[in-house]
Structure formats: C-alpha cells, structure tokens
Amino acid sequence: MTAVQKTRASAHAVGRRNAPPPESGTGRPRTGRRRRVAVLTPWLFLAAPLTLLVTFTYLPVADMIGYSFTDWDGVSPTRSYVGAENYTDLVTQPARFEVFLVSGFYLAASVVQIALALYFATVLSFDTRFRNLFKGLLFFPYLINGVAVGFVFLYFFQPDGTLDTLLRLIGVDGKHLWLGDPDLANPSLAGVSVWRFMGLNMVLFLGAIQSIPPHLYEAAQLDGANRWQQFRHIIAPSIKPIISLSFILAVSGSLAVFEIPYIMTGGANGTETFVIQTVKLAFQFDKVGLASASAVVLLILILLITWVQRRLIPEERVELS
C-alpha cells in the first residue's frame, strides 16, 4: 500500500468515526416526539396556576352553588336539601335588592375616578417636572391595605376631626356627621374609593398612552395641535379599549363593594351593600344557604351586566401608525 493509499484510508476512517449515527426508520418517530413535547410544554408551565385557580376559585364556587340549595347554618354537620326555596325567598322579597341603590353612589364615584385617572395619566405622559414622583404619590393609595384605609378615614371623617378642620380653614364652620348622616355617609365612603383606586386606573391609562408611537405627537405638533387636540384625536381613540375595560370593572366593582363600608360603618346609616347583606346573612343570622344563593345571584348579575356591556361596546382593535 502506497503512502497516498494509506492517507486516504486513514481519512476515510476518521470520517466514519465523526459521522453521526444513522437514524432508525424514516425519522417519523422523532418528529412525532418533538410535536408531543411542543404540545405538552405550555401545559407544564400552566399546571401550577391552573391547579391554584381550580382549587381556590372554581371548587369554592361549585360548593357555594351546592350550599345555595340547602338550609345549612354553617355549623351543623348535616345539610337539608330545600331545592330552589332560597332563590324563591330572594325573589319574593324585593327589599333585599334595594341595597343595590347604594351601589349607585359607588358607580358615580367610579366615573369621577376614571375621569381623574385619565386626566393625570395624560398630564404625566408629557414632559412634566417631577412626573415620576407624582406617579408614585398617586399610585401609593392602591398599595395600602383596605383595612388600614378604612381606619385612617374613620379618623378623617370624625366630627370636628381632620376634614372639619380643613373645611374651617376655607370658612366652612360646624361639625358634620360624615358617617352618621345618611345623606353624607354614602358620598363620603364613595369618595374614599375614589382616593384609593384612582391610581390603579391611572397606571392602566398611562401604560396605554406610552404605547402610542411618538411620531404621531410630532406630526400633530407640526400641524399646530395643542394638548387638548392631541388628547382628543390621538390619545382618546388610541386607548379606547382600556377605557372600555375600566368602565366594565367600575360597574362590576360598584356592585361588589364590601370592605370600605363594612369597616367604616358596618352597613349602618343606609350604607349597607349587597355583599355586606350577604355576609350578615351567613355569619350573623346563620343562614349560609340563603347567603350562598344571594352570592350566586350577585355572580349572575355581574356576568350578565359584563356580557351586556361587551355587546354594547364591542372590543375594537386600534391600529397605531
């Protein structure tokens, strides 16, 4: 064997050692395995949150629906099936639904809250001095625990307290029963909700406004548009889906108000909401079955109102260019 032949043989041997192993079959099993892995991978990531969602949301809702067909008192080990008697009791007593009138105060406050949040989000989206500081100050109330907010405003609304002192500085004298007068209690509580939740809406609006391409503002400035015209023709149409979402959350939230009035007044002086009434039925009058039926009715109302809102205000896709 010549030197050339030896070189070719050694190169051929090295190539055979470095070559990948031949695939068995036609390659379909490996392709099918990759497809199965691609399908299962998202579900592996979703396993934990779905387990928590089912365990702490859907299963309790299913139990609540089951309780609504019983006369359980919340303590007894036995539960008697009563059919639709709890729902009949709710329907035949319209006074139980009069508490929804209180939700009107919170719905009106939600409109004010959305308007203020939209104003501050628009102002802070432009080049404003100390805008990061103002963002933090406006968003901070949402981070405070609701119980703490309730106790703070209990002192704020005391007769001859902080609010009355501030009013005297501008010439309004006298002691006001902000939480004791039925004409003042609900507006006062609704004002607390405006202070607490406005920052959340502001952040939602601010994030949507900052997604608007800057060249739209530049083109508007070249055409001589002022701030109001930029808001009317650029900002408002661009964030319309977020505004619609905020109104949907406002309506559902006004129907399910609980912690602020419960902590500050306990539902007294005409401030009782539907949720407070439901809690009292369950834990004060030991009517867990009736309270569960009441909660199911509230859930159905919220879902129905949300569906109607989505039909009246369909989701629109905004194209920014």
Side-chain angles (χ1 to χ4, degrees), residues 15 25 27 86 120 132 154 160 181 205 228 234 246 263 268 273 313:
N86 292 324
F120 285 115
N132 290 329
L154 274 177
D160 202 19
D181 188 348
F205 293 147
W228 164 247
I234 298 177
S246 297
I263 293 167
T273 63
I313 310 175

Side-chain angles (χ1 to χ4, degrees), residues 146-147 149-157 179 185 188-190 192-193 258-269 271:
V147 177
V149 171
F151 281 113
V152 168
F153 276 92
L154 274 177
Y155 292 99
F156 184 76
F157 286 123
L179 301 179
S188 300
L189 296 175
V192 176
S193 67
F258 171 66
E259 58 182 2
I260 294 297
Y262 185 76
I263 293 167
M264 296 182 66
T265 63
N269 302 320
T271 62

